[in-house]
Amino acid sequence: MNWYEKLNEYFPVEEMKSKEHMERLLKEKSDVYYKDEGEHHVMMYVEFESFIFIDYVYVSTKARGQGLGRKLLNKLKERHKPIILEVEPVDYEDTDTEKRLRFYQREGFKHAQSIGYTRRSLATDEMNTLEILYWSPDEGSEEVIYKQMKKLYEQIHTYKDEEIYGESYQPVEEVLSIDRNRKSDLFEAIKDPKGV
């Protein structure tokens, strides 16, 4: 299986960029869009001057539980920039969503509770709500994360969308919102009765 097939098999269709989109980012935005690939992993990420965004990270079932995910994150943390990523809300039917959240929580990621993020999938035409997690070497504010997500959405997620998909994604103002009163800690949903 090539790197794209691995990602495509692991991630829901509504979250996947097309292969053409990713290949064009790797070629035409090679100064900011990267692929880190090994026998048991694929990580696609964006590195801007002020932050890093993990677009996709896949670790094969054979290598899970061996610290590979942590090693990949540590490589990025060593750059001393905020790291942002998108995750699905907890789906109790899909135990992977909970495992992923626990992993990022252990790695020191916080939930950007005030940021709302819902976009229409060009693949399924359905609205898809995701949550934003971030890690920061300093305190880092959610307002800063919000601005960084807007930049990411406009420069990476919607890059040449009309040319590649035949239609455009929604404008950033419809997709991302910030609301200080929006309080829903994603990590609360995965606490077990023992408070772990």
Side-chain angles (χ1 to χ4, degrees):
M1 256 197 299
N2 69 32
W3 62 271
Y4 187 79
E5 290 166 335
K6 288 174 185 172
L7 293 175
N8 205 30
E9 197 173 88
Y10 184 67
F11 287 93
V13 64
E14 64 272 10
E15 290 177 32
M16 280 299 292
K17 289 177 175 63
S18 72
K19 188 171 190 209
E20 181 189 355
H21 189 169
M22 288 160 92
E23 284 175 338
R24 287 180 72 165
L25 286 168
L26 287 166
K27 186 178 176 188
E28 297 168 18
K29 293 253 185 187
S30 60
D31 58 328
V32 295
Y33 196 82
Y34 303 97
K35 173 176 57 165
D36 180 333
E37 181 182 13
E39 187 184 352
H40 296 294
H41 78 278
V42 179
M43 181 169 66
M44 311 299 286
Y45 68 97
V46 180
E47 184 168 5
F48 288 120
E49 201 173 306
S50 60
F51 72 100
I52 294 169
F53 175 81
I54 299 175
D55 205 4
Y56 301 96
V57 64
Y58 158 85
V59 173
S60 75
T61 48
K62 290 177 188 156
R64 285 195 201 145
Q66 296 174 18
L68 181 54
R70 171 175 282 147
K71 280 183 196 143
L72 292 170
L73 283 183
N74 284 341
K75 259 200 311 199
L76 298 180
K77 285 178 178 179
E78 286 167 7
R79 295 175 189 167
H80 300 286
K81 298 177 184 184
I83 301 170
I84 306 171
L85 53 92
E86 303 162 359
V87 293
E88 303 124 312
V90 176
D91 175 354
Y92 295 101
E93 313 273 305
D94 176 5
T95 56
D96 271 3
T97 60
E98 195 173 331
K99 284 179 189 156
R100 268 194 294 276
L101 279 177
R102 286 186 191 281
F103 169 73
Y104 288 119
Q105 186 178 35
R106 278 194 310 271
E107 292 303 316
F109 279 74
K110 294 177 181 163
H111 176 214
Q113 295 178 41
S114 64
I115 301 175
Y117 183 45
T118 301
R119 69 180 195 198
R120 186 175 57 87
S121 163
L122 294 183
T124 64
D125 207 35
E126 290 173 15
M127 295 309 281
N128 191 27
T129 298
L130 295 168
E131 297 293 337
I132 307 299
L133 299 183
Y134 68 98
W135 174 90
S136 185
D138 46 43
E139 267 310 293
S141 76
E142 292 192 13
E143 280 83 5
V144 170
I145 300 297
Y146 173 69
K147 286 180 185 144
Q148 292 169 334
M149 273 302 298
K150 282 175 81 169
K151 176 179 180 172
L152 181 277
Y153 182 80
E154 292 180 318
Q155 293 189 25
I156 302 297
H157 285 348
T158 62
Y159 182 68
K160 295 191 175 175
D161 51 0
E162 206 163 320
E163 196 178 310
I164 296 167
Y165 300 102
E167 60 181 311
S168 296
Y169 279 106
Q170 300 142 275
V172 70
E173 299 76 31
E174 286 180 22
V175 172
L176 281 159
S177 61
I178 189 159
D179 176 2
R180 277 273 156 227
N181 298 319
R182 179 184 182 260
K183 292 284 181 223
S184 61
D185 188 353
L186 197 56
F187 294 126
E188 286 293 315
I190 60 169
K191 280 190 175 172
D192 67 23
K194 297 175 199 122
V196 175

PDB file of all heavy atoms in Angstrom, residues 52-71:
ATOM      1  N   ILE A  52       2.787  24.777  13.594  1.00  0.00           N
ATOM      2  CA  ILE A  52       2.768  23.529  12.823  1.00  0.00           C
ATOM      3  C   ILE A  52       1.345  22.991  12.872  1.00  0.00           C
ATOM      4  O   ILE A  52       0.672  23.069  13.915  1.00  0.00           O
ATOM      5  CB  ILE A  52       3.743  22.497  13.444  1.00  0.00           C
ATOM      6  CG1 ILE A  52       5.186  22.988  13.299  1.00  0.00           C
ATOM      7  CG2 ILE A  52       3.568  21.115  12.804  1.00  0.00           C
ATOM      8  CD1 ILE A  52       6.200  22.189  14.095  1.00  0.00           C
ATOM      9  N   PHE A  53       0.883  22.455  11.760  1.00  0.00           N
ATOM     10  CA  PHE A  53      -0.431  21.823  11.721  1.00  0.00           C
ATOM     11  C   PHE A  53      -0.243  20.390  11.248  1.00  0.00           C
ATOM     12  O   PHE A  53       0.373  20.149  10.210  1.00  0.00           O
ATOM     13  CB  PHE A  53      -1.364  22.556  10.754  1.00  0.00           C
ATOM     14  CG  PHE A  53      -2.688  21.871  10.582  1.00  0.00           C
ATOM     15  CD1 PHE A  53      -3.706  22.044  11.511  1.00  0.00           C
ATOM     16  CD2 PHE A  53      -2.911  21.025   9.504  1.00  0.00           C
ATOM     17  CE1 PHE A  53      -4.927  21.387  11.363  1.00  0.00           C
ATOM     18  CE2 PHE A  53      -4.124  20.364   9.342  1.00  0.00           C
ATOM     19  CZ  PHE A  53      -5.132  20.550  10.284  1.00  0.00           C
ATOM     20  N   ILE A  54      -0.748  19.434  12.023  1.00  0.00           N
ATOM     21  CA  ILE A  54      -0.686  18.033  11.604  1.00  0.00           C
ATOM     22  C   ILE A  54      -1.955  17.750  10.797  1.00  0.00           C
ATOM     23  O   ILE A  54      -3.056  17.769  11.338  1.00  0.00           O
ATOM     24  CB  ILE A  54      -0.575  17.075  12.813  1.00  0.00           C
ATOM     25  CG1 ILE A  54       0.704  17.362  13.597  1.00  0.00           C
ATOM     26  CG2 ILE A  54      -0.605  15.618  12.317  1.00  0.00           C
ATOM     27  CD1 ILE A  54       0.849  16.553  14.871  1.00  0.00           C
ATOM     28  N   ASP A  55      -1.769  17.499   9.510  1.00  0.00           N
ATOM     29  CA  ASP A  55      -2.901  17.264   8.631  1.00  0.00           C
ATOM     30  C   ASP A  55      -3.417  15.830   8.812  1.00  0.00           C
ATOM     31  O   ASP A  55      -4.605  15.607   8.978  1.00  0.00           O
ATOM     32  CB  ASP A  55      -2.475  17.524   7.180  1.00  0.00           C
ATOM     33  CG  ASP A  55      -3.647  17.892   6.284  1.00  0.00           C
ATOM     34  OD1 ASP A  55      -4.781  18.021   6.779  1.00  0.00           O
ATOM     35  OD2 ASP A  55      -3.414  18.064   5.062  1.00  0.00           O
ATOM     36  N   TYR A  56      -2.503  14.864   8.782  1.00  0.00           N
ATOM     37  CA  TYR A  56      -2.866  13.458   8.985  1.00  0.00           C
ATOM     38  C   TYR A  56      -1.708  12.760   9.673  1.00  0.00           C
ATOM     39  O   TYR A  56      -0.551  13.024   9.359  1.00  0.00           O
ATOM     40  CB  TYR A  56      -3.104  12.735   7.641  1.00  0.00           C
ATOM     41  CG  TYR A  56      -4.193  13.343   6.808  1.00  0.00           C
ATOM     42  CD1 TYR A  56      -3.883  14.259   5.804  1.00  0.00           C
ATOM     43  CD2 TYR A  56      -5.526  13.003   7.017  1.00  0.00           C
ATOM     44  CE1 TYR A  56      -4.888  14.834   5.028  1.00  0.00           C
ATOM     45  CE2 TYR A  56      -6.525  13.575   6.249  1.00  0.00           C
ATOM     46  CZ  TYR A  56      -6.201  14.490   5.254  1.00  0.00           C
ATOM     47  OH  TYR A  56      -7.190  15.051   4.500  1.00  0.00           O
ATOM     48  N   VAL A  57      -2.030  11.865  10.593  1.00  0.00           N
ATOM     49  CA  VAL A  57      -0.997  10.995  11.145  1.00  0.00           C
ATOM     50  C   VAL A  57      -1.586   9.590  11.247  1.00  0.00           C
ATOM     51  O   VAL A  57      -2.683   9.388  11.753  1.00  0.00           O
ATOM     52  CB  VAL A  57      -0.423  11.507  12.494  1.00  0.00           C
ATOM     53  CG1 VAL A  57      -1.474  11.525  13.591  1.00  0.00           C
ATOM     54  CG2 VAL A  57       0.770  10.700  12.921  1.00  0.00           C
ATOM     55  N   TYR A  58      -0.839   8.651  10.685  1.00  0.00           N
ATOM     56  CA  TYR A  58      -1.267   7.252  10.647  1.00  0.00           C
ATOM     57  C   TYR A  58      -0.122   6.399  11.185  1.00  0.00           C
ATOM     58  O   TYR A  58       1.028   6.567  10.783  1.00  0.00           O
ATOM     59  CB  TYR A  58      -1.579   6.851   9.198  1.00  0.00           C
ATOM     60  CG  TYR A  58      -1.530   5.368   8.940  1.00  0.00           C
ATOM     61  CD1 TYR A  58      -2.636   4.552   9.195  1.00  0.00           C
ATOM     62  CD2 TYR A  58      -0.370   4.761   8.459  1.00  0.00           C
ATOM     63  CE1 TYR A  58      -2.582   3.184   8.968  1.00  0.00           C
ATOM     64  CE2 TYR A  58      -0.310   3.391   8.229  1.00  0.00           C
ATOM     65  CZ  TYR A  58      -1.415   2.607   8.490  1.00  0.00           C
ATOM     66  OH  TYR A  58      -1.357   1.263   8.278  1.00  0.00           O
ATOM     67  N   VAL A  59      -0.455   5.530  12.122  1.00  0.00           N
ATOM     68  CA  VAL A  59       0.506   4.549  12.627  1.00  0.00           C
ATOM     69  C   VAL A  59      -0.139   3.184  12.413  1.00  0.00           C
ATOM     70  O   VAL A  59      -1.284   2.968  12.814  1.00  0.00           O
ATOM     71  CB  VAL A  59       0.833   4.784  14.127  1.00  0.00           C
ATOM     72  CG1 VAL A  59       1.701   3.658  14.674  1.00  0.00           C
ATOM     73  CG2 VAL A  59       1.511   6.135  14.323  1.00  0.00           C
ATOM     74  N   SER A  60       0.584   2.274  11.771  1.00  0.00           N
ATOM     75  CA  SER A  60       0.006   0.962  11.453  1.00  0.00           C
ATOM     76  C   SER A  60      -0.349   0.206  12.734  1.00  0.00           C
ATOM     77  O   SER A  60       0.271   0.415  13.782  1.00  0.00           O
ATOM     78  CB  SER A  60       0.978   0.139  10.608  1.00  0.00           C
ATOM     79  OG  SER A  60       2.030  -0.340  11.409  1.00  0.00           O
ATOM     80  N   THR A  61      -1.329  -0.670  12.640  1.00  0.00           N
ATOM     81  CA  THR A  61      -1.754  -1.440  13.808  1.00  0.00           C
ATOM     82  C   THR A  61      -0.584  -2.254  14.371  1.00  0.00           C
ATOM     83  O   THR A  61      -0.492  -2.437  15.576  1.00  0.00           O
ATOM     84  CB  THR A  61      -2.931  -2.381  13.458  1.00  0.00           C
ATOM     85  OG1 THR A  61      -2.615  -3.085  12.264  1.00  0.00           O
ATOM     86  CG2 THR A  61      -4.211  -1.607  13.249  1.00  0.00           C
ATOM     87  N   LYS A  62       0.317  -2.709  13.505  1.00  0.00           N
ATOM     88  CA  LYS A  62       1.482  -3.483  13.956  1.00  0.00           C
ATOM     89  C   LYS A  62       2.378  -2.676  14.895  1.00  0.00           C
ATOM     90  O   LYS A  62       3.034  -3.233  15.769  1.00  0.00           O
ATOM     91  CB  LYS A  62       2.337  -3.934  12.771  1.00  0.00           C
ATOM     92  CG  LYS A  62       1.709  -4.989  11.910  1.00  0.00           C
ATOM     93  CD  LYS A  62       2.617  -5.299  10.729  1.00  0.00           C
ATOM     94  CE  LYS A  62       1.896  -6.207   9.753  1.00  0.00           C
ATOM     95  NZ  LYS A  62       2.419  -6.098   8.406  1.00  0.00           N
ATOM     96  N   ALA A  63       2.430  -1.361  14.677  1.00  0.00           N
ATOM     97  CA  ALA A  63       3.367  -0.526  15.444  1.00  0.00           C
ATOM     98  C   ALA A  63       2.709   0.227  16.596  1.00  0.00           C
ATOM     99  O   ALA A  63       3.389   0.905  17.354  1.00  0.00           O
ATOM    100  CB  ALA A  63       4.053   0.461  14.505  1.00  0.00           C
ATOM    101  N   ARG A  64       1.405   0.109  16.753  1.00  0.00           N
ATOM    102  CA  ARG A  64       0.736   0.862  17.831  1.00  0.00           C
ATOM    103  C   ARG A  64       1.163   0.357  19.195  1.00  0.00           C
ATOM    104  O   ARG A  64       1.405  -0.820  19.385  1.00  0.00           O
ATOM    105  CB  ARG A  64      -0.785   0.766  17.677  1.00  0.00           C
ATOM    106  CG  ARG A  64      -1.225   1.656  16.546  1.00  0.00           C
ATOM    107  CD  ARG A  64      -2.690   1.922  16.513  1.00  0.00           C
ATOM    108  NE  ARG A  64      -3.000   2.348  15.135  1.00  0.00           N
ATOM    109  CZ  ARG A  64      -4.100   2.070  14.505  1.00  0.00           C
ATOM    110  NH1 ARG A  64      -5.032   1.387  15.096  1.00  0.00           N
ATOM    111  NH2 ARG A  64      -4.288   2.485  13.281  1.00  0.00           N
ATOM    112  N   GLY A  65       1.251   1.307  20.134  1.00  0.00           N
ATOM    113  CA  GLY A  65       1.640   0.942  21.492  1.00  0.00           C
ATOM    114  C   GLY A  65       3.144   0.816  21.668  1.00  0.00           C
ATOM    115  O   GLY A  65       3.620   0.429  22.729  1.00  0.00           O
ATOM    116  N   GLN A  66       3.917   1.161  20.650  1.00  0.00           N
ATOM    117  CA  GLN A  66       5.382   1.051  20.738  1.00  0.00           C
ATOM    118  C   GLN A  66       6.070   2.413  20.802  1.00  0.00           C
ATOM    119  O   GLN A  66       7.289   2.499  20.665  1.00  0.00           O
ATOM    120  CB  GLN A  66       5.913   0.252  19.538  1.00  0.00           C
ATOM    121  CG  GLN A  66       5.413  -1.183  19.535  1.00  0.00           C
ATOM    122  CD  GLN A  66       5.818  -1.922  18.262  1.00  0.00           C
ATOM    123  OE1 GLN A  66       6.702  -1.513  17.542  1.00  0.00           O
ATOM    124  NE2 GLN A  66       5.144  -3.037  17.991  1.00  0.00           N
ATOM    125  N   GLY A  67       5.273   3.475  20.966  1.00  0.00           N
ATOM    126  CA  GLY A  67       5.863   4.805  21.126  1.00  0.00           C
ATOM    127  C   GLY A  67       6.165   5.541  19.826  1.00  0.00           C
ATOM    128  O   GLY A  67       6.775   6.611  19.852  1.00  0.00           O
ATOM    129  N   LEU A  68       5.731   5.010  18.691  1.00  0.00           N
ATOM    130  CA  LEU A  68       6.009   5.669  17.416  1.00  0.00           C
ATOM    131  C   LEU A  68       5.274   7.008  17.303  1.00  0.00           C
ATOM    132  O   LEU A  68       5.852   8.010  16.882  1.00  0.00           O
ATOM    133  CB  LEU A  68       5.640   4.743  16.249  1.00  0.00           C
ATOM    134  CG  LEU A  68       5.881   5.261  14.830  1.00  0.00           C
ATOM    135  CD1 LEU A  68       7.321   5.719  14.636  1.00  0.00           C
ATOM    136  CD2 LEU A  68       5.537   4.182  13.812  1.00  0.00           C
ATOM    137  N   GLY A  69       4.007   7.035  17.702  1.00  0.00           N
ATOM    138  CA  GLY A  69       3.233   8.285  17.674  1.00  0.00           C
ATOM    139  C   GLY A  69       3.897   9.362  18.513  1.00  0.00           C
ATOM    140  O   GLY A  69       4.018  10.513  18.092  1.00  0.00           O
ATOM    141  N   ARG A  70       4.354   8.989  19.697  1.00  0.00           N
ATOM    142  CA  ARG A  70       5.034   9.932  20.587  1.00  0.00           C
ATOM    143  C   ARG A  70       6.321  10.448  19.941  1.00  0.00           C
ATOM    144  O   ARG A  70       6.622  11.644  19.998  1.00  0.00           O
ATOM    145  CB  ARG A  70       5.350   9.271  21.921  1.00  0.00           C
ATOM    146  CG  ARG A  70       6.247  10.148  22.805  1.00  0.00           C
ATOM    147  CD  ARG A  70       6.483   9.571  24.160  1.00  0.00           C
ATOM    148  NE  ARG A  70       5.285   9.845  24.935  1.00  0.00           N
ATOM    149  CZ  ARG A  70       4.815   9.055  25.873  1.00  0.00           C
ATOM    150  NH1 ARG A  70       5.440   7.938  26.175  1.00  0.00           N
ATOM    151  NH2 ARG A  70       3.742   9.379  26.539  1.00  0.00           N
ATOM    152  N   LYS A  71       7.097   9.552  19.303  1.00  0.00           N
ATOM    153  CA  LYS A  71       8.341   9.971  18.637  1.00  0.00           C
ATOM    154  C   LYS A  71       8.060  10.990  17.537  1.00  0.00           C
ATOM    155  O   LYS A  71       8.777  11.979  17.393  1.00  0.00           O
ATOM    156  CB  LYS A  71       9.061   8.758  18.026  1.00  0.00           C
ATOM    157  CG  LYS A  71       9.847   7.955  19.030  1.00  0.00           C
ATOM    158  CD  LYS A  71      10.591   6.816  18.329  1.00  0.00           C
ATOM    159  CE  LYS A  71      11.044   5.810  19.364  1.00  0.00           C
ATOM    160  NZ  LYS A  71      10.981   4.433  18.918  1.00  0.00           N
TER     161      LYS A  71
END
